[in-house]
Amino acid sequence: MTKTITIDDLAVMVKKGFDETAKRVNLDALTKDVAELSTKVTRIENILIRAHDNRIYKVEDDIRLIKTKVGIK
């Protein structure tokens, strides 16, 4: 027994296919955007950590200098 497919049935099937393809394309683009954002956040975190480390080293050096001038070991 064969089923007769009308033009309307075919149009609905084609629309569903396009809708599913659009969803996959958008998901792929979103996944790429999230990966790029994650990379950028990691870079920013590394820059901030490096900046804080530099400030801590400077404070330690200043304290070492003060202790030396005052005569504290």
Side-chain angles (χ1 to χ4, degrees), residues 2-73:
T2 61
K3 180 180 176 188
T4 305
I5 297 177
T6 66
I7 294 292
D8 290 337
D9 294 334
L10 183 58
V12 169
M13 288 188 285
V14 170
K15 182 183 180 323
K16 283 183 183 178
F18 279 119
D19 289 345
E20 289 302 314
T21 300
K23 286 179 188 175
R24 271 188 262 126
V25 168
N26 289 339
L27 182 59
D28 291 342
L30 181 60
T31 302
K32 182 181 175 190
D33 289 345
V34 168
E36 288 177 14
L37 183 58
S38 177
T39 300
K40 289 178 182 181
V41 167
T42 300
R43 280 191 212 135
I44 291 170
E45 288 173 340
N46 288 337
I47 289 168
L48 291 174
I49 289 170
R50 207 172 316 123
H52 284 292
D53 284 348
N54 290 340
R55 290 177 68 189
I56 290 169
Y57 292 140
K58 185 178 180 331
V59 168
E60 289 174 341
D61 287 343
D62 290 346
I63 291 172
R64 214 174 285 118
L65 179 65
I66 291 169
K67 287 171 93 175
T68 301
K69 288 190 178 202
V70 174
I72 301 174
K73 289 191 175 188

